[in-house]
Amino acid sequence: MIGNALDEFMRHVPSLKSMVIESTVTLIKRVNFIGKELVKEELDLDMRSNGIGRCEIEDSRIRFMQYSHNLTQILEQILQNEEHCAPFVNAGGVEVLLDLHPLLMPSGKQLLAHISCQSSPSVAILTHSTISLGLTAAIKRATSNDNSAKVLKKVIAGLERCMIDLENNILDLRNNTEASPKSDNSDGNHDTNVLNISGILEGLPRVPLHSLQSETCNLPMLRSLSCFLRDIVNIEWISVLLSVVVKISCSSDIGSRGRLEWLKELSTEDFQLLSTKLSTLYQSSLFEVCRIRTEDDYDTRDNTRWGAPGDSSYHPAVYRLRIVCAEGAVVRDGIDIDSCASVGGLEMGEEVDAYDRCINGSGIMRYRTAKGWVSEQTRGHAREPILEVIEVRGVAKKRTQPLSKDPKTKKAIECGIPDICSASAAVLSRLQNSQSNLYSCLSRAVIVGFKYLSTRSLSEQQESIFSRVGLLSRAVATFLRSNFDFVHSEAQVKGRIPSLAEDGVAMYQGNVLNLMHSCIYEERRDKQIL
């Protein structure tokens, strides 16, 4: 209602439009300030063993989640009018939305619990889906209805800021995990070498989170790890957003009939340096994932967590759940969804303890609370998150009764949580999808540039565009080639990181081939251009 009212007000009183837009941006800045203070409080709470102030901080997180949800609803109504998009971009709206996204995730041990308990952390939505999708939609509308080059420049700048934060947290994590090798800066390129995260997970214990957090000596390591993974998830989101902006630029009227001003942003020295940093991060993260997943005891650890409580220490005794779905959660009296009756509901922001979890016949993770069973996410293609796990405690004892006494219940699969190293590797694997999206979009930008030049006579302006297209094309080719070389160059650095087994090399090269295919053969009719 508020968003509709503001839209109507600006349409009827155009002279006050700029004031309303600026006030909206100021409101988002205020919410960002609250979120940043909340993150500090959550991190400080983790370092306190007495837990004083936990309830107040959890209440603040719930209020912040509701603030953010309301903001996205307001923006949806305002930005659906294309006349409001340009003033919003000019007022700094894109920047404040980029700053808001990482604040949507819980911090510290809450984030680690959330990641560890995800059924599919490599593909699941780790932020509140409705809010993060609302932020993406707002920036997409601004790109479609304003100068796409301007939005593209702002998104690139936001990604650069996030990369700086990541560099600091990489160094912090390496310092707090003794087994992690330090960066080699012998070639003088300090920034790029810092972002080479090969071996960064080597110093993490191969045990689940609930076995670690009770010891105070592990708190600095867990804090550093949570900040590192939070930056990884945020970089994944911004790089995917960058791909979306490039796609819109390629297909918009501005890109097809204008001067390809957005292409200029992709050929600057700053973007080339950023791309080099991203390439190093992508390559080393894939290397690290392949290294962890081909360790000698990886399969043993993974198989152990599928054992029953009591037979496996990978089952926490208590899961603390927070409902994040705007529509709340339905509580049912059994594991299966279709055959079990609803016995109540939980509202967005409500927190409750669960004592068991399993995967039902529909492939959905279900948690047993005192009121009944709730789902981790919705069914269907979207798989939107319904809840997030913010704490795990203790080790579950052997169960004396079956999960369900209903004989009609389909066989449920017991599922403990992975060790903290494997869970972290799953988060790093998310970067592979963002890398594929980004390089595919840059390849499409090259195609658009060549098509633009082929329909025009060569002039001074076209020569400039030709130079930009050539620079971008060479950059993409260099990054793709370096992906193949990376695994061999790392193997030659003796003592820096553990060696990659043969099956790890095969896994790495398979992913690189898939990336090459998505970049070159995305549009078959244009593959000859590339």
Side-chain angles (χ1 to χ4, degrees):
M1 292 178 60
I2 296 177
N4 280 327
L6 291 174
D7 177 42
E8 288 290 325
F9 179 75
M10 286 187 285
R11 288 199 295 120
H12 288 87
V13 191
S15 60
L16 297 179
K17 178 189 295 187
S18 61
M19 184 185 71
V20 174
I21 294 295
E22 290 174 1
S23 298
T24 303
V25 173
T26 301
L27 174 63
I28 302 175
K29 289 180 179 179
R30 175 59 184 171
V31 173
N32 287 351
F33 174 79
I34 295 173
K36 291 175 182 177
E37 293 299 313
L38 175 59
V39 168
K40 293 178 183 179
E41 292 174 357
E42 288 175 337
L43 292 175
D44 291 341
L45 177 65
D46 287 345
M47 303 303 291
R48 299 198 296 267
S49 58
N50 52 23
I52 296 177
R54 178 177 300 276
C55 293
E56 292 80 1
I57 293 175
E58 289 181 353
D59 289 343
S60 297
R61 170 57 66 178
I62 294 171
R63 288 195 297 271
F64 181 78
M65 182 171 59
Q66 293 170 338
Y67 292 158
S68 304
H69 178 67
N70 293 336
L71 270 179
T72 55
Q73 290 184 316
I74 292 174
L75 287 176
E76 180 182 2
Q77 299 301 324
I78 292 177
L79 297 181
Q80 70 179 359
N81 187 334
E82 62 182 33
E83 295 180 355
H84 303 332
C85 292
F88 180 76
V89 172
N90 294 333
V94 174
E95 291 90 338
V96 294
L97 294 183
L98 295 177
D99 291 340
L100 175 59
H101 179 265
L103 305 175
L104 301 177
M105 291 177 280
S107 305
K109 289 188 290 186
Q110 288 192 12
L111 177 61
L112 297 180
H114 178 41
I115 290 171
S116 296
C117 295
Q118 280 285 344
S119 55
S120 301
S122 58
V123 295
I125 300 175
L126 297 180
T127 55
H128 308 142
S129 62
T130 304
I131 304 174
S132 61
L133 291 175
L135 299 182
T136 303
I139 296 177
K140 287 172 65 176
R141 288 194 189 99
T143 306
S144 301
N145 298 312
D146 190 36
N147 185 342
S148 59
K150 187 185 301 182
V151 178
L152 181 59
K153 184 176 182 179
K154 293 177 181 292
V155 173
I156 291 173
L159 185 54
E160 288 174 341
R161 293 193 298 271
C162 191
M163 295 291 282
I164 293 174
D165 292 338
L166 177 63
E167 290 172 5
N168 295 329
N169 286 321
I170 287 173
L171 294 174
D172 190 44
L173 179 58
R174 289 193 184 278
N175 290 332
N176 283 301
T177 52
E178 295 181 359
S180 294
K182 305 300 184 288
S183 298
D184 178 14
N185 299 322
S186 58
D187 62 356
N189 195 341
H190 173 76
D191 292 340
T192 302
N193 282 311
V194 168
L195 290 167
N196 184 339
I197 59 174
S198 302
I200 197 168
L201 303 182
E202 180 63 22
L204 297 182
R206 271 55 170 178
V207 296
L209 177 63
H210 57 275
S211 301
L212 285 173
Q213 56 190 3
S214 59
E215 301 179 12
T216 56
C217 60
N218 292 324
L219 296 181
M221 175 194 66
L222 295 176
R223 174 178 176 143
S224 300
L225 179 62
S226 69
C227 294
F228 167 72
L229 295 179
R230 186 163 164 265
D231 283 342
I232 290 293
V233 175
N234 194 40
I235 286 176
E236 177 212 4
W237 179 75
I238 298 181
S239 58
V240 170
L241 181 63
L242 177 61
S243 304
V244 171
V245 173
V246 172
K247 281 183 180 179
I248 294 174
S249 301
C250 290
S251 59
S252 65
D253 288 339
I254 297 174
S256 60
R257 294 197 301 264
R259 298 184 176 181
L260 298 184
E261 290 296 328
W262 55 269
L263 188 58
K264 180 179 179 181
E265 300 300 330
L266 300 179
S267 57
T268 62
E269 291 185 4
D270 289 342
F271 182 75
Q272 297 299 315
L273 177 59
L274 175 64
S275 299
T276 301
K277 292 182 178 181
L278 275 174
S279 180
T280 301
L281 177 63
Y282 288 148
Q283 293 162 1
S284 58
S285 63
L286 178 59
F287 182 95
E288 186 69 356
V289 171
C290 295
R291 188 183 67 81
I292 295 297
R293 291 183 174 176
T294 55
E295 287 181 333
D296 293 337
D297 62 341
Y298 177 80
D299 289 337
T300 302
R301 300 197 310 267
D302 189 60
N303 291 334
T304 302
R305 75 183 182 98
W306 296 97
D311 299 331
S312 168
S313 61
Y314 284 70
H315 293 265
V318 180
Y319 302 85
R320 184 68 173 170
L321 312 179
R322 177 190 293 139
I323 306 302
V324 299
C325 181
E327 290 77 24
V330 177
V331 183
R332 298 186 182 273
D333 61 1
I335 298 173
D336 289 337
I337 298 175
D338 295 327
S339 61
C340 297
S342 172
V343 295
L346 298 171
E347 299 294 329
M348 177 181 179
E350 195 168 347
E351 296 181 359
V352 63
D353 287 340
Y355 307 98
D356 281 304
R357 78 172 194 165
C358 66
I359 300 175
N360 68 7
S362 301
I364 300 296
M365 183 74 74
R366 302 274 283 168
Y367 287 86
R368 182 179 65 83
T369 70
K371 297 181 179 180
W373 291 83
V374 295
S375 298
E376 174 195 48
Q377 56 192 1
T378 61
R379 290 183 292 177
H381 178 70
R383 294 288 176 122
E384 296 182 5
I386 295 176
L387 59 85
E388 61 185 10
V389 180
I390 59 175
E391 185 183 8
V392 287
R393 302 192 304 269
V395 178
K397 298 180 180 179
K398 192 174 185 62
R399 188 179 296 109
T400 57
Q401 296 181 349
L403 281 174
S404 176
K405 297 180 180 179
D406 187 354
K408 296 181 180 180
T409 300
K410 298 178 181 179
K411 182 175 178 58
I413 302 175
E414 303 260 19
C415 181
I417 68 175
D419 63 273
I420 196 68
C421 182
S422 299
S424 300
V427 175
L428 291 183
S429 68
R430 301 168 68 95
L431 291 177
Q432 176 68 5
N433 182 55
S434 64
Q435 179 186 21
S436 178
N437 284 334
L438 181 58
Y439 286 166
S440 177
C441 288
L442 294 180
S443 299
R444 181 180 298 184
V446 172
I447 293 174
V448 170
F450 275 116
K451 284 185 174 181
Y452 177 91
L453 292 171
S454 64
T455 60
R456 288 161 174 80
S457 59
L458 198 61
S459 64
E460 183 176 350
Q461 175 190 332
Q462 272 69 55
E463 287 181 0
S464 176
I465 295 177
F466 184 82
S467 175
R468 296 170 189 171
V469 171
L471 180 62
L472 183 59
S473 178
R474 289 191 296 273
V476 172
T478 299
F479 297 145
L480 292 176
R481 283 198 303 269
S482 65
N483 278 337
F484 288 99
D485 299 334
F486 184 85
V487 66
H488 302 293
S489 62
E490 289 298 290
Q492 295 173 1
V493 185
K494 296 181 179 180
R496 185 176 183 272
I497 55 174
S499 59
L500 196 62
E502 289 184 1
D503 49 352
V505 174
M507 183 185 297
Y508 179 93
Q509 299 291 22
N511 280 277
V512 172
L513 286 172
N514 181 66
L515 172 65
M516 178 75 76
H517 183 274
S518 65
C519 290
I520 296 181
Y521 296 104
E522 183 193 31
E523 299 181 34
R524 293 184 180 276
R525 65 183 183 275
D526 296 320
K527 63 182 181 181
Q528 291 182 351
I529 295 177
L530 291 178

